[in-house]
Amino acid sequence: MFKKIVVPISGDAITKKELNKIAKLAKLDNAEVVLVYVSDPLAPFVYTESVNNSLVSEAAHKKACSEFAKKLCAKAQSQLGSSLNVKFMHIIHPNIADGILEAAKKSKADAIAMSSHKRTGISGLILRSEGCEVVLHSPIPVIILN
């Protein structure tokens, strides 16, 4: 059914249980999994984990994002297992949902599998999740995991 599945990852947005579901789906058709991390191109004024509160240069920000993305990818890849064909993309984009869609287009994916914040009620109307934005604008199927 699917030959290439884009899977956005972030520090807290996807769990081992969800990665297991993705692994099962990918194994059904021997699909390639493309892990995607989207970074904001603008450096924050301060990193919360830094010891000193100094300004962060653009180059230092990109390096930090790249290193963080590699760590997340390695963690997700180990949870997916070695039997899958897994690739990784680091996209720099100011909008996470648009970055995910850009990654899907660049990788020529047939589906996107992602988790959602599961916002409901008023907060769901006001603070739409990236999952909602991707579903609304994606030209390919989007699988929302929960």
Side-chain angles (χ1 to χ4, degrees):
M1 182 179 216
F2 301 121
K3 296 298 175 197
K4 193 175 286 191
I5 305 168
V6 161
V7 179
I9 57 173
S10 70
D12 62 348
I14 196 155
T15 65
K16 186 173 182 174
K17 182 179 174 183
E18 291 164 338
L19 286 170
N20 286 338
K21 289 178 184 179
I22 290 165
K24 286 179 185 176
L25 178 65
K27 286 177 184 175
L28 288 174
D29 292 313
N30 199 28
E32 179 180 311
V33 175
V34 181
L35 299 171
V36 175
Y37 180 74
V38 181
S39 296
D40 192 320
L42 298 176
F45 287 114
V46 182
Y47 275 99
T48 56
E49 296 175 4
S50 68
V51 176
N52 60 7
N53 288 337
S54 59
L55 294 176
V56 178
S57 71
E58 187 177 334
H61 172 66
K62 284 184 179 178
K63 182 179 178 187
C65 287
S66 179
E67 289 172 3
F68 183 71
K70 287 176 187 174
K71 285 179 188 176
L72 280 179
C73 177
K75 181 180 176 183
Q77 194 165 8
S78 71
Q79 291 175 346
L80 284 168
S82 59
S83 63
L84 292 175
N85 181 10
V86 180
K87 301 264 171 50
F88 176 68
M89 291 180 79
H90 179 205
I91 301 289
I92 297 175
H93 201 288
N95 180 288
I96 293 172
D98 288 343
I100 293 165
L101 294 171
E102 178 183 319
K105 185 176 182 178
K106 282 184 177 179
S107 66
K108 299 179 180 162
D110 353 73
I112 300 169
M114 61 188 298
S115 61
S116 177
H117 291 295
K118 303 170 192 88
R119 292 186 178 111
T120 60
I122 301 279
S123 65
L125 289 171
I126 296 169
L127 301 170
R128 293 199 312 206
S129 68
E130 285 83 18
C132 179
E133 291 297 317
V134 171
V135 168
L136 287 173
H137 301 288
S138 179
I140 60 175
V142 180
I143 303 158
I144 301 293
L145 305 166
N146 55 356

